[in-house]
Amino acid sequence: MKTSFFALIGILIMLPISLFAQNDHMTFKGVPIDGTLRQFTTKLTQKGFSQMGVENDYAVMNGDFAGYKNCDLLINTVERKDLVYMVSVKFPDLDQWGLLEGNYLKLKRMLTTKYGEPSEVIERFQYRQDPKTDFEKLFALQYDQCTFKTIFKTEKGRIGLFLAHEGLKKCYVVLTYIDGINGSLAEDLAMEDL
């Protein structure tokens, strides 16, 4: 199963989740980000998502999300425990900067309306000079020369919105939800490895 499109997303927004109030779980499509992988994916199947594959600690699903068709989901569990803590949405691949940036900005506006102002926004090019054309901007993304990232901290967890790519052909928007309670558990187990 392909999971490389989500590889760094959790790491980029995990930092310190333990600061959040630990009263209630974050939800995804109205489903609390909690429970076993099977319980969680069953609830998402009832919401119209199709299961694409399951491994020990993650599942891949596909469906419509936030008005976008054919989105891929990656649902992660806490290491060594069957407990869901993170859901990432990979929006459809795009090969035009204007469409890609437009989707990112639209989702950012929607998230800001729902969750308030983001806690962190980085939208910059590290290119040798500021790109002027859409082709140059897409090139910068494909060669890791730009960062478009917006983070929202809520009482229930963290939400991250990113522009990402896989190779040179696949560019897309990723939206990640990390539950505060179960995310703290995942972080604590990771700390044991250090």
Side-chain angles (χ1 to χ4, degrees):
M1 274 182 262
K2 289 188 173 185
T3 59
S4 62
F5 56 86
F6 298 114
L8 296 176
I9 301 306
I11 294 168
L12 293 172
I13 65 173
M14 277 293 283
L15 304 172
I17 286 190
S18 55
L19 300 175
F20 299 105
Q22 302 296 308
N23 301 331
D24 203 5
H25 290 281
M26 178 172 274
T27 61
F28 178 82
K29 294 275 295 183
V31 177
I33 301 175
D34 192 27
T36 68
L37 190 57
R38 177 179 232 156
Q39 291 167 337
F40 190 78
T41 57
T42 297
K43 290 175 184 173
L44 288 183
T45 299
Q46 293 167 353
K47 299 258 182 192
F49 286 92
S50 303
Q51 194 159 298
M52 308 302 288
V54 178
E55 293 293 329
N56 291 334
D57 56 353
Y58 70 90
V60 179
M61 300 184 83
N62 183 275
D64 300 342
F65 182 76
Y68 293 87
K69 302 279 186 201
N70 198 29
C71 297
D72 292 329
L73 302 183
L74 178 68
I75 299 120
N76 290 90
T77 61
V78 176
E79 185 179 344
R80 301 183 302 263
K81 294 189 180 288
D82 188 11
L83 182 65
V84 173
Y85 79 98
M86 181 169 67
V87 180
S88 296
V89 181
K90 176 190 172 279
F91 291 86
D93 297 338
L94 295 168
D95 60 1
Q96 296 177 30
W97 176 261
L99 296 174
L100 190 64
E101 183 183 37
N103 285 356
Y104 171 87
L105 293 173
K106 177 182 176 185
L107 288 163
K108 180 179 166 184
R109 278 191 303 273
M110 292 168 64
L111 289 163
T112 300
T113 299
K114 183 169 183 174
Y115 297 104
E117 288 301 314
S119 60
E120 180 182 1
V121 177
I122 300 173
E123 296 169 348
R124 68 172 180 250
F125 292 92
Q126 295 90 15
Y127 207 53
R128 59 184 172 264
Q129 59 187 5
D130 284 336
K132 306 234 183 309
T133 67
D134 283 356
F135 174 80
E136 290 173 333
K137 292 174 184 177
L138 193 61
F139 180 88
L141 176 63
Q142 292 166 330
Y143 286 92
D144 300 320
Q145 296 296 311
C146 80
T147 302
F148 274 66
K149 168 175 97 168
T150 301
I151 306 296
F152 296 86
K153 292 180 187 174
T154 76
E155 291 179 4
K156 297 179 182 180
R158 224 176 245 229
I159 301 164
L161 179 67
F162 308 89
L163 287 185
H165 73 95
E166 187 177 334
L168 299 179
K169 298 281 185 191
K170 296 181 179 181
C171 296
Y172 43 81
V173 177
V174 175
L175 178 60
T176 298
Y177 295 78
I178 298 179
D179 178 62
I181 297 169
N182 296 343
S184 289
L185 180 58
E187 184 179 302
D188 290 345
L189 288 171
M191 293 294 282
E192 290 177 12
D193 292 344
L194 298 177

